[in-house]
Amino acid sequence: MAVDRALLEGQMRELPIVQYEFFDTRELTFSSRVRTVCEMDCARYGMSWACPPAVGTVEACRERCLRYPHALLLATMNEVEDLADMEGTLATRMGHEEITRQVNSLLRGQGAETYPLSTESCAICGQCTYPDAPCRFPERMFPCVESHGILVLDIAERFGMDFQPQGNVVTWFSLILYRG
């Protein structure tokens, strides 16, 4: 059964999504350079099931992603007091993650098989079980888009998405891959 895009778009208009785009996953750009940034600059590297190396190589991630023919990129924006306040900025991420969960549920409600990627290295558990035990909540954990080597800003630019607005506004992106 194919996803009824008109129905989905109507449902998404009820959510605080500033922009979204549907496209073919063959348009995704993968780069090992993105993974290098994870490894060199992210404190969560090697600490979570949602991050490298747990998600697999960039090539393995590419193969996994391309099993889903359709992609939905969605963006939300939040105003913060000070973009330099990383704690305050990151606190707005949870609202975006909830919207990602809602859109993912809408797609699944139409019978689609989904693979959601979002902003988090995963903050569901206080302490991740990686690498000693399986993930406690694999159905709730969304790996980070960048952990898969995907150049999300490349996609955003291609679709003319404004990801650098003026002022103290942060833009969050999620990418939901699906078939159905």
Side-chain angles (χ1 to χ4, degrees):
M1 175 170 93
V3 166
D4 181 339
R5 192 180 295 183
L7 173 62
L8 180 62
E9 289 183 80
Q11 294 167 321
M12 289 191 321
R13 277 193 284 280
E14 302 295 318
L15 300 172
I17 298 170
V18 295
Q19 192 169 352
Y20 61 88
E21 295 291 338
F22 291 92
F23 62 99
D24 189 299
T25 56
R26 291 176 292 188
E27 296 180 57
L28 290 170
T29 303
F30 294 84
S31 171
S32 58
R33 289 179 297 147
V34 177
R35 180 62 67 83
T36 301
V37 172
C38 288
E39 189 172 355
M40 303 305 287
D41 295 334
C42 183
R44 298 288 295 161
Y45 182 87
M47 306 290 288
S48 167
W49 284 110
C51 294
V55 295
T57 65
V58 171
E59 185 55 34
C61 290
R62 181 182 181 282
E63 289 176 19
R64 186 178 317 119
C65 290
L66 294 179
R67 288 185 206 139
Y68 300 85
H70 310 290
L72 169 59
L73 179 67
L74 59 98
T76 65
M77 291 182 178
N78 292 92
E79 189 164 358
V80 294
E81 296 240 355
D82 180 7
L83 282 174
D85 173 14
M86 196 53 92
E87 188 175 317
T89 299
L90 289 175
T92 67
R93 185 179 78 176
M94 291 299 109
H96 175 82
E97 292 302 310
E98 180 54 34
I99 291 165
T100 302
R101 284 186 212 306
Q102 290 176 29
V103 174
N104 189 58
S105 291
L106 293 171
L107 279 161
R108 293 179 69 92
Q110 288 197 33
E113 183 180 337
T114 63
Y115 187 60
L117 302 171
S118 196
T119 65
E120 60 184 49
S121 77
C122 191
I124 296 169
C125 301
Q127 177 69 36
C128 184
T129 59
Y130 181 81
D132 301 320
C135 177
R136 292 180 195 105
F137 303 103
E139 72 288 346
R140 289 181 48 210
M141 184 265 297
F142 301 156
C144 180
V145 175
E146 289 85 358
S147 76
H148 282 51
I150 296 172
L151 295 168
V152 71
L153 295 183
D154 177 62
I155 302 164
E157 285 177 347
R158 210 173 323 144
F159 291 117
M161 296 176 96
D162 183 15
F163 57 89
Q164 293 180 320
Q166 300 298 315
N168 287 325
V169 177
V170 62
T171 304
W172 298 109
F173 291 101
S174 289
L175 182 63
I176 302 176
L177 310 177
Y178 67 96
R179 66 174 147 246

